[in-house]
Amino acid sequence: METDIYIREKNGTRGIRIPWVPEQIEFTANGTRFASYNILDKGEVKIPAGSNLHGYKWKGTLPGAANPATQLLRGDWVDPKTIQGIWSWWRDTDTPLRLLVTGTPINHDVYLSDYSVTYEGPYGDYNYSISFVDARDIMVKTVAPQQPAAPAEQNPAPVRTETQSTTTSYTIKQGDSLWSIAQKFLGAGSRWKEVYTLNQGVLDAEAKKHGKKTGGHWIWPGVTIKIPSQGK
């Protein structure tokens, strides 16, 4: 089985078939357990890989248009300048790629970590070296700092529930009685004593002006009194 090298964008349609297969592909499992990634504007972040990252690199030639060794060509010829432009894009944008080397166990998600090119020979060939590193999913979680809990109050003061009494002023009219006033404002004439108690001073004083000892049964138009709240 012939060995071929395919590199394709994971989330795109662009791909490259390496035109001349190199003699050797170097596979490395480096000794570091941490890899440094520049995650957008989060800066350089060291991510524990859990297992060593794998690297893949080789050296080769991208044949120019005038190179006569067409028997070595895999697929259609592509201008080396075009291939170099794609490599630059993949490297600079950290594009996720799929690297497949037929006839080997290499079939992995990778990033193009670096490459270099020299221009040599009469045919317009590009001699290059290129390297890839495993693509690992990285999740960066932002955790809000915990706020210290407020100290518990010792022997907190009991919460007091107070009901504020509201009153309404009313000026007695001709024909009124405390019973009718209680019926009108409090919903029950039998609550007339509540009206009298709240206004006893005013009603008794007015009664004495008219020769009566106390108010209550006796009221006079024009006297302003207070009406207790209906819920009292």
Side-chain angles (χ1 to χ4, degrees):
M1 178 181 180
E2 284 189 340
T3 298
D4 275 297
I5 302 176
Y6 298 92
I7 311 166
R8 180 168 294 278
E9 295 176 357
K10 282 196 66 182
N11 302 319
T13 59
R14 203 161 40 170
I16 292 174
R17 183 180 183 182
I18 298 299
W20 282 4
V21 176
E23 294 182 1
Q24 181 179 349
I25 297 175
E26 185 178 343
F27 168 80
T28 59
N30 56 50
T32 179
R33 287 180 59 82
F34 290 87
S36 293
Y37 291 85
N38 192 320
I39 306 174
L40 299 180
D41 58 349
K42 302 187 190 311
E44 192 82 350
V45 180
K46 280 194 171 183
I47 304 296
S51 62
N52 296 332
L53 290 178
H54 299 155
Y56 316 88
K57 61 182 179 179
W58 67 84
K59 295 180 180 180
T61 299
L62 301 176
N67 195 300
T70 55
Q71 73 277 8
L72 300 177
L73 191 65
R74 296 286 202 273
D76 295 331
W77 178 84
V78 178
D79 189 338
K81 184 177 180 180
T82 300
I83 296 177
Q84 182 185 357
I86 295 173
W87 285 352
S88 294
W89 172 263
W90 287 348
R91 180 194 59 191
D92 297 342
T93 59
D94 293 328
T95 301
L97 306 168
R98 188 72 176 182
L99 173 63
L100 170 64
V101 182
T102 61
T104 78
I106 299 175
N107 185 9
H108 299 291
D109 294 336
V110 296
Y111 294 112
L112 197 164
S113 56
D114 203 6
Y115 81 92
S116 62
V117 169
T118 58
Y119 314 104
E120 296 180 2
Y123 307 122
D125 296 343
Y126 286 26
N127 293 328
Y128 71 92
S129 63
I130 193 166
S131 59
F132 299 85
V133 66
D134 276 346
R136 303 278 177 90
D137 290 334
I138 301 171
M139 292 188 299
V140 178
K141 295 183 179 180
T142 302
V143 180
Q146 282 190 331
Q147 298 296 329
E153 275 190 55
Q154 293 185 351
N155 302 321
V159 178
R160 296 178 58 189
T161 303
E162 296 183 357
T163 303
Q164 184 177 1
S165 219
T166 60
T167 58
T168 302
S169 295
Y170 175 71
T171 301
I172 299 172
K173 297 184 175 75
Q174 185 70 35
D176 281 343
S177 66
L178 291 185
W179 182 283
S180 66
I181 292 172
Q183 179 69 40
K184 178 179 179 181
F185 289 98
L186 305 181
S190 58
R191 296 181 64 182
W192 69 270
K193 288 185 179 180
E194 296 174 28
V195 181
Y196 173 71
T197 300
L198 184 61
N199 298 280
Q200 185 174 357
V202 174
L203 293 176
D204 285 355
E206 189 67 18
K208 288 176 183 178
K209 290 180 184 179
H210 292 82
K212 305 295 182 182
K213 290 185 178 181
T214 61
H217 294 293
W218 305 96
I219 58 174
W220 285 266
V223 177
T224 300
I225 62 174
K226 294 179 180 180
I227 308 297
S229 63
Q230 188 170 358
K232 183 177 176 181

